[in-house]
Amino acid sequence: MEGFKQRRKNVPGTKPHVGILGAGLAGLRCADLLLQHGFQVTIIEGRNRIGGRLYQERLGNGHLVDMGPNWIHGTDDNPMLDLAKQTGTAVGTWDVTSYVFNESGTLLPVPEGEALATMVWDIIQEAFVHSNKSSADIDAQTSLLDFFKERVVEKIPESEDNFQKKRETVLQMSEMWGTFIGSPVGQQSLKFFWLEECIEGENLFCAGTYEKILQVVAKPALSDATIKYDSVADKISYRIDPNDEVRVQLKSGQTLAFDELVVTCPLGWLKQNLTAFDPPLPSMLTKAIGSIGYGCLEKVYISFPRAFWLPAEGDGRRVQGFAQWIAPSYHAENPQGWNQELVELASIAPDVAHPTLLFYIYGEQSEYLTAQVAEIETKEKQDAFLVDFFKPYYSRLPQYSEDSADCQPVCCLATKWVRDELAGNGSYCNFQVGLSNGDEDIKAMRHGLPEHGLWLAGEHTAPFVALGTATGAYWSGESVGKRITEAYGMPKQKDSLDATA
């Protein structure tokens, strides 16, 4: 590999030409590193914009919201947090109080909800420890839910009053894990649960949105790379002979040739487009792509004139931060009894707070709701459908009154990644029951086929502590950029515009 790349480098008056499929965080960060070292870079982007799944839209009331990542996972040596500070992007967290609504829609006493939520997170932490320590001995079919069922019996003995109901409630509350991975807790592999661990430190909500962070990461590419928008790859021909180029045929019929190609397309896209690679990818790579799970996490924002759930201090009950409705038997349009999670955005950071509820949905509920909305012709009717669907939840928040103007939604906005082909009809990688070699599968994708001029990047190829995160996507692009520059022996040409380089 090193030999033929050194030969290419020595051709007078030429720059190695690297193609990058996808202008998301991974592709943009990779482009930055390559441009710093004097490469010619062309980014092929299927959309008419940069960012990929890192994308913002405005609510009807003017507030900007993230349609993709909302969080910065971990605060210890996290470049996303560094970029947030650099750009003055507001981040924060809420009080840790847990608000839990039971099957009848009644808000549990806060101390009770807090105790049960603490137990849920204690079991999750114990599962991480167990998975890290005993992964090799855990059956591939064992789920995180199975682990919960074992632990809850130990934590709530029969000697406790109402022990059966408490156990049932904890198991119901454990379903909130689905909002972290985009799939039900019963599908979460216990054997590879350790791959879901994140960077140490707090999980911070990106209250100011990722907008300014994206602008900084994208600036080098927007300035010095060629970006081909509305260009969807149809066929990818990687190098067989050292003298070959890597070629990308677009759906428009145009063919582009490169010395190297970095594919940052989402894992879901790779799963659905394996036949685009010519020749077919080696079995080790196809197995890896097929084995790692892919979630479908969606978001629904509903805004109000005022945050009625946050009364003046000492003036009634409040819900601040997170809320969870478990097994809502009162919701006529939710026959499956899907749990519901939300975070409220009125108390996260004063400068960017707004009276909005953010509902997270995943799995079957994502597929159901996005399919229902897709059948509705107008945006006005789509919004009315969503407001009606979520009303059984927000109408149970403290201080809600049907007669109050403050309690009438003024606008809403919903994602539909599960219906987005370029997103791979979903969101982020995850690790599901049945997985037998999850860590090796990640390593195989992370390695790619460099000897054939084909490299893979994206959140599904990130370091283990950042899989499925914006930080992971950023790091993966950075890693591939460094590997390519090292292989070509290209000296750095200029300073990065990114302080975390």
Side-chain angles (χ1 to χ4, degrees):
M1 172 178 164
E2 296 294 340
F4 72 77
K5 287 189 172 169
Q6 191 67 30
R7 179 184 59 75
R8 286 174 180 269
K9 175 197 159 196
N10 286 337
V11 177
T14 64
K15 290 182 177 182
H17 190 185
V18 179
I20 298 175
L21 275 186
L25 270 180
L28 294 169
R29 180 56 178 159
C30 185
D32 183 4
L33 267 290
L34 294 171
L35 290 166
Q36 288 179 46
H37 290 80
F39 286 80
Q40 180 184 352
V41 176
T42 297
I43 300 177
I44 303 167
E45 171 52 53
R47 306 181 192 277
N48 62 0
R49 59 170 179 80
I50 61 168
R53 286 169 288 174
L54 200 160
Y55 174 56
Q56 297 81 34
E57 285 194 18
R58 289 202 179 274
L59 292 164
N61 59 8
H63 289 286
L64 193 69
V65 293
D66 278 314
M67 305 299 280
N70 286 126
W71 296 86
I72 294 175
H73 293 286
T75 51
D76 291 0
D77 194 23
N78 189 330
M80 287 299 108
L81 182 57
D82 295 336
L83 285 165
K85 292 176 180 177
Q86 176 187 332
T87 57
T89 297
V91 298
T93 187
W94 296 269
D95 293 340
V96 295
T97 305
S98 298
Y99 300 91
V100 183
F101 294 81
N102 65 17
E103 298 99 318
S104 63
T106 301
L107 181 62
L108 296 179
V110 171
E112 181 180 348
E114 184 83 9
L116 293 171
T118 298
M119 186 176 297
V120 169
W121 281 107
D122 285 347
I123 294 175
I124 286 174
Q125 291 305 313
E126 291 168 10
F128 277 131
V129 171
H130 178 60
S131 182
N132 270 295
K133 182 179 179 180
S134 305
S135 178
D137 301 322
I138 298 173
D139 188 278
Q141 299 301 324
T142 303
S143 71
L144 177 60
L145 182 58
D146 293 328
F147 186 84
F148 261 91
K149 290 176 180 178
E150 290 181 6
R151 284 295 193 268
V152 78
V153 171
E154 300 172 8
K155 291 184 177 294
I156 306 175
E158 293 185 11
S159 57
E160 278 196 29
D161 292 339
N162 209 17
F163 74 93
Q164 199 63 47
K165 180 59 180 174
K166 290 179 182 176
R167 291 177 180 176
E168 179 185 345
T169 301
V170 168
L171 292 178
Q172 290 170 331
M173 290 176 66
S174 73
E175 292 183 24
M176 65 86 190
W177 185 251
T179 62
F180 286 82
I181 62 170
S183 300
V185 64
Q187 291 181 15
Q188 169 68 63
S189 165
L190 182 64
K191 184 179 184 70
F192 289 102
F193 190 45
W194 63 273
L195 287 174
E196 296 286 0
E197 281 192 293
C198 287
I199 298 167
E200 291 293 325
E202 291 184 275
N203 288 322
L204 300 178
F205 192 84
C206 194
T209 80
Y210 269 89
E211 181 188 33
K212 293 178 181 177
I213 293 172
L214 177 60
Q215 290 173 353
V216 169
V217 177
K219 188 174 180 180
L222 292 173
S223 174
D224 297 325
T226 298
I227 304 181
K228 296 181 67 66
Y229 294 103
D230 297 310
S231 300
V232 178
D234 191 48
K235 183 178 179 181
I236 300 168
S237 301
Y238 56 88
R239 180 188 301 123
I240 299 301
D241 184 271
N243 294 312
D244 293 341
E245 293 177 305
V246 186
R247 297 182 180 273
V248 179
Q249 181 176 311
L250 306 179
K251 288 193 174 180
S252 65
Q254 181 182 11
T255 298
L256 305 173
F258 306 101
D259 296 312
E260 309 291 331
L261 180 68
V262 183
V263 178
T264 73
C265 303
L267 175 63
W269 188 92
L270 293 175
K271 286 175 174 288
Q272 295 171 17
N273 291 276
L274 286 173
T275 56
F277 292 90
D278 179 33
L281 294 174
S283 58
M284 181 174 66
L285 259 183
T286 57
K287 172 192 170 296
I289 291 168
S291 296
I292 303 302
Y294 198 57
C296 49
L297 180 66
E298 306 287 352
K299 304 172 175 79
V300 179
Y301 294 90
I302 301 180
S303 289
F304 297 81
R306 190 180 68 82
F308 63 86
W309 55 90
L310 290 175
E313 204 64 48
D315 184 23
R317 294 183 304 161
R318 62 199 288 114
V319 166
Q320 182 175 354
F322 296 84
Q324 180 182 22
W325 287 262
I326 59 175
S329 60
Y330 48 85
H331 195 318
E333 299 302 318
N334 182 3
Q336 303 297 323
W338 294 307
N339 277 22
Q340 185 58 60
E341 301 277 333
L342 74 70
V343 294
E344 55 83 24
L345 306 182
S347 63
I348 182 60
D351 292 344
V352 292
H354 48 101
T356 300
L357 301 174
L358 167 52
F359 295 89
Y360 288 100
I361 59 176
Y362 64 90
E364 290 181 354
Q365 186 177 7
S366 288
E367 295 170 355
Y368 169 78
L369 280 180
T370 55
Q372 292 292 309
V373 169
E375 295 295 319
I376 302 173
E377 294 181 357
T378 68
K379 175 70 163 64
E380 183 180 11
K381 290 181 179 179
Q382 290 174 351
D383 290 354
F385 168 80
L386 290 169
V387 165
D388 286 344
F389 186 88
F390 289 98
K391 185 175 181 179
Y393 304 119
Y394 68 74
S395 64
R396 283 170 166 79
L397 293 173
Q399 283 71 241
Y400 177 85
S401 170
E402 188 74 28
D403 300 326
S404 171
D406 288 338
C407 302
Q408 305 307 311
V410 295
C411 58
C412 73
L413 186 62
T415 63
K416 49 185 177 183
W417 298 114
V418 73
R419 303 183 70 81
D420 186 323
E421 289 185 9
L422 293 178
N425 300 106
S427 302
Y428 309 107
C429 73
N430 59 33
F431 309 96
Q432 301 188 3
V433 290
L435 188 62
S436 57
N437 295 288
D439 50 347
E440 295 304 318
D441 291 331
I442 295 294
K443 289 177 182 177
M445 290 191 292
R446 188 186 296 157
H447 181 71
L449 295 175
E451 64 275 19
H452 298 289
L454 185 66
W455 312 72
L456 300 182
E459 48 84 18
H460 51 287
T461 69
F464 291 149
V465 293
L467 288 163
T469 68
T471 301
Y474 180 91
W475 269 340
S476 73
E478 183 175 81
S479 174
V480 168
K482 288 180 178 178
R483 288 166 64 197
I484 293 174
T485 60
E486 289 168 1
Y488 276 81
M490 297 284 283
K492 190 169 183 178
Q493 301 292 306
K494 62 178 181 176
D495 292 332
S496 173
L497 291 163
D498 177 356
T500 65

